[in-house]
Amino acid sequence: MLNIAVSGQGHVSREPDEDGLFSHIDFSGGAIVAVSGGSDSTALLLLLKRYLDRARPTAKLLAVTIDHRLRPESADEAGAVAQLCASHSIRHRVLSWQGPKPGTGLPAAAREARYRLLAQAAREDGAGMVLTGHTADDQAETVLMRSARANGAVGGGYGLAGMAPATLYDGTVWIMRPLLATRRAALRAWLAGRGVGWSDDPTNENSAFERPRLRAALAGSGDAGFAGALAIAARAAETRTDLGRRAAALIRMHADRPVPGLMRLALDFVAEPDRPAVLHALRILIATAGGSRFLPDRARTEALLGRLEAVHSRHPLRATLSHAVIDRRAAGLFLHRERRDLPPAVTVAGGMIWDGRCLITACDGGDGFLIAARATVASAGGAPVADGVPSSLAGAAFAAEPALFAAESGRSEGSPGAMKALPAMVFPVAAPFAQFLPCFDLAPARAVAGLAGAGAVAAPPWAGAGGVRP
């Protein structure tokens, strides 16, 4: 829903509508609002407070400010947010990004730290979602950034859908963006009309970073550039969601997991007439098998699919891509993690994602155990057997699976030979969706999670029945 109307001269014609912004979200579990002190997040917080006081008075609300400790003024800005919250009877916390900061890739590192800390706050407060103040302006900038990286190929690029209105972070906390259809100018006009000020982060004007440069270019393009970017996002989101549903149907139709760590596709999979969906499903399955957060290169996957579709397609074929082995046999098309670059033995600290493929939790307070691939430990046991699965494939897949160990007294923890096998809680995860799952990709994420034996994917906190957005 578009919450404001903008004239041809770029003037805001009406202010944000609280019901339009929030009535489709289920606040029964409470909410965290990320508040930096800037105009967007400040307006989000106060608009939501007004809405909850009127429509959902029992809902819990907590404002969280992340102090990245990148500028001397950040502590004072966090203090100003605390004062604002106190004046509106809103609970507030400040969390700081501790430790050294990277010399390169600072915006991405700061963003990752911010989401991690916000999710931490949500878990500690018992809330299942975090609301952020990303606006239509941010969305347009994101689309232009991704378009530039795709060398202008705006006709269906996977990332051109921009930011999703709901994104599942780390499998547990939903990041909600209710302002994606609202212009920043409308929010600032709303704040100014109520005598509420805000802080401006100078890094938002620093042309050394990509986003400020594109922000300036977008401002110079007028309404046409802005509207064009949002139109691209809308079309790409619809295309991406539809493609994901078709790929999910193919995964459910053709794929199974005969032994741990091994996925099998019927050979008829590559002959399905919906080639875009076949390609998309194959990219997702390769990333899942290899433990990669990112889908493999489209061109390389397309070339591999061409080989799989070629004449004599029933003949053996073996390839590797994104740390996954793709092995075609008479019994099917098999995918598993290759043995190259498997993680060395490391200490399990409470819970961790191992090799992008498994969540490991030591049993009975077993922090300090070691985790390593079975291939590195002779005592890890033999591979299970399954009908129709060549024993060599079952063994190769099982060798790359994790095993948990305890170091023998007086021996080096890093030495696999000094360890004996112990039980552990091992939960498979679907790597490309484990950290960030945009709601565009819910269908394929659920299909591949079921295939891998991962846990059920939570529904977004829409107010509609069953997590369906009204």
Side-chain angles (χ1 to χ4, degrees), residues 217-391:
L218 187 62
S221 69
D223 287 346
F226 178 85
L230 292 189
I232 289 170
R235 289 194 300 269
E238 184 176 353
T239 299
R240 177 168 168 173
T241 301
D242 179 65
L243 179 62
R245 288 174 180 151
R246 287 149 45 206
L250 293 178
I251 291 170
R252 291 192 174 98
M253 183 185 306
H254 291 287
D256 71 337
R257 184 174 60 108
V259 298
L262 184 66
M263 294 185 289
R264 175 175 55 190
L265 284 161
L267 292 176
D268 290 342
F269 166 77
V270 298
E272 285 285 348
D274 188 352
R275 198 172 190 276
V278 171
L279 179 63
H280 191 47
L282 184 59
R283 294 177 73 197
I284 291 170
L285 293 171
I286 289 172
T288 301
S292 173
R293 287 175 53 185
F294 306 102
L295 301 189
D297 177 76
R298 180 186 179 90
R300 294 184 65 191
T301 311
E302 197 159 16
L304 172 62
L305 181 57
R307 293 174 62 194
L308 295 171
E309 293 173 320
V311 180
H312 308 306
S313 62
R314 303 277 167 167
H315 291 185
L317 183 151
R318 188 176 187 275
T320 59
L321 183 59
S322 293
H323 288 310
V325 174
I326 302 93
D327 199 326
R328 186 179 62 202
R329 305 286 183 96
L333 180 63
F334 296 88
L335 295 91
H336 63 85
R337 174 67 160 90
E338 67 173 336
R339 291 178 66 161
R340 182 172 61 91
D341 295 332
L342 284 165
V346 294
T347 300
V348 175
M352 60 183 290
I353 297 292
W354 182 82
D355 195 39
R357 297 181 292 130
C358 297
L359 171 65
I360 309 296
T361 304
C363 298
D364 300 323
D367 291 355
F369 287 2
L370 302 177
I371 184 74
R374 292 180 178 273
T376 65
V377 186
S379 61
V385 296
D387 290 342
V389 178
S391 59

Side-chain angles (χ1 to χ4, degrees), residues 66-70 97 101-102 104-118 201 203 209:
I66 306 301
D67 182 356
H68 295 89
R69 297 193 170 185
L70 297 175
W97 182 20
K101 308 302 187 285
T104 59
L106 184 59
R111 182 170 56 252
E112 188 149 335
R114 181 163 60 252
Y115 282 124
R116 174 175 50 80
L117 291 169
L118 289 169
D201 185 342
T203 59
F209 298 119

Side-chain angles (χ1 to χ4, degrees), residues 424-451:
M425 298 290 288
V426 180
F427 303 97
V429 297
F433 307 116
Q435 186 174 32
F436 291 101
L437 169 55
C439 60
F440 309 136
D441 302 327
L442 274 173
R446 285 170 171 159
V448 79
L451 174 65

Side-chain angles (χ1 to χ4, degrees), residues 406-412 418:
E408 293 180 354
S409 176
R411 299 290 297 274
S412 168

